[in-house]
Amino acid sequence: MTGRRVRLTADARRTQLVDEATALIAANGYHRFSISALAAATGLTRAGVLHHVGSKERLLLDVLAGRDDRDSAALRHELTRDPRPDARELLDAVVRRNLSQPEIVRLYTVLAAEALDPSHPAHDFFARRLRTGMADMGALLDGFDRPAAQVAAEVYSFMDGVQLNWLRDPGLDMWKLWTGYADALFATRSR
């Protein structure tokens, strides 16, 4: 941003900082992200940014929570049509949403890899998110010849892998890969 700084309410400024941090972290990773770069991108001083966000670590958790909140809202919208949706329909909706936001998928992929280090500020966030996500997904994946928790782990593993490869090679047809996998998986479901 160049020129005069625009005066925003505290909430609007915080939203601006989280949105800009999301873009910077997605492009560079958390370890190469700096509060100084965020300050330069938003026309604030480093102290001004820290006044609104607290710390780099707190900001990262806000970026992650914001993404999860937006995704949850989108899925709740899908659920308004059917309070107990078909698992396949819900998973298809997740893949379609991810296809529409490659920069956010990149952000999560980069951060999830960096957060494998137990000292990373988002390590616990990703561990908790995986446990919660697999439990929630497992609740929808009954009727297979193996425990629902195992099927959920398989689906998570496939989705993470196909997304990583899609980010590496955007020419891959992630939808086609997903539907091929999901067709084969759900063909084995007894209900």
Side-chain angles (χ1 to χ4, degrees):
M1 182 175 144
T2 59
R4 245 175 70 178
R5 182 168 55 109
V6 176
R7 192 150 192 59
L8 300 173
T9 65
D11 286 344
R13 180 67 70 190
R14 185 165 183 73
T15 298
Q16 176 201 28
L17 291 168
V18 170
D19 289 348
E20 188 63 33
T22 299
L24 290 170
I25 293 169
N28 303 309
Y30 175 73
H31 290 300
R32 293 190 319 203
F33 166 78
S34 72
I35 294 295
S36 297
L38 180 59
T42 56
L44 296 174
T45 64
R46 189 175 189 289
V49 169
L50 289 172
H51 169 76
H52 289 283
V53 302
S55 68
K56 180 180 174 181
E57 293 78 13
R58 179 70 246 161
L59 179 60
L60 173 64
L61 296 175
D62 289 345
V63 164
L64 294 170
R67 191 275 177 143
D68 275 358
D69 289 347
R70 285 187 294 279
D71 281 354
S72 293
L75 289 177
R76 273 194 305 279
H77 177 72
E78 290 286 326
L79 294 175
T80 58
R81 291 182 281 159
D82 182 356
R84 175 128 167 99
D86 178 72
R88 172 66 189 269
E89 290 174 13
L90 187 59
L91 291 169
D92 283 353
V94 168
V95 173
R96 277 193 301 274
R97 178 154 174 82
N98 287 348
L99 280 165
S100 73
Q101 53 182 5
E103 68 287 343
I104 297 298
V105 173
R106 181 179 318 285
L107 168 74
Y108 257 58
T109 301
V110 168
L111 289 175
E114 289 179 348
L116 291 171
D117 177 354
S119 68
H120 191 281
H123 178 80
D124 291 341
F125 172 89
F126 279 102
R128 204 171 32 256
R129 186 174 190 274
L130 178 63
R131 284 191 307 273
T132 302
M134 286 201 322
D136 291 347
M137 187 185 299
L140 298 172
L141 293 173
D142 56 346
F144 289 93
D145 63 351
R146 54 203 179 280
Q150 180 180 338
V151 177
E154 293 168 9
V155 170
Y156 253 85
S157 298
F158 179 84
M159 289 176 112
D160 284 350
V162 77
Q163 287 177 164
L164 178 65
N165 290 326
W166 172 64
L167 291 170
R168 191 171 287 126
D169 178 2
L172 286 177
D173 186 341
M174 186 166 77
W175 180 253
K176 184 176 180 180
L177 293 168
W178 161 251
T179 56
Y181 168 79
D183 288 348
L185 174 69
F186 283 94
T188 68
R189 193 176 196 189
S190 61
R191 71 165 200 95

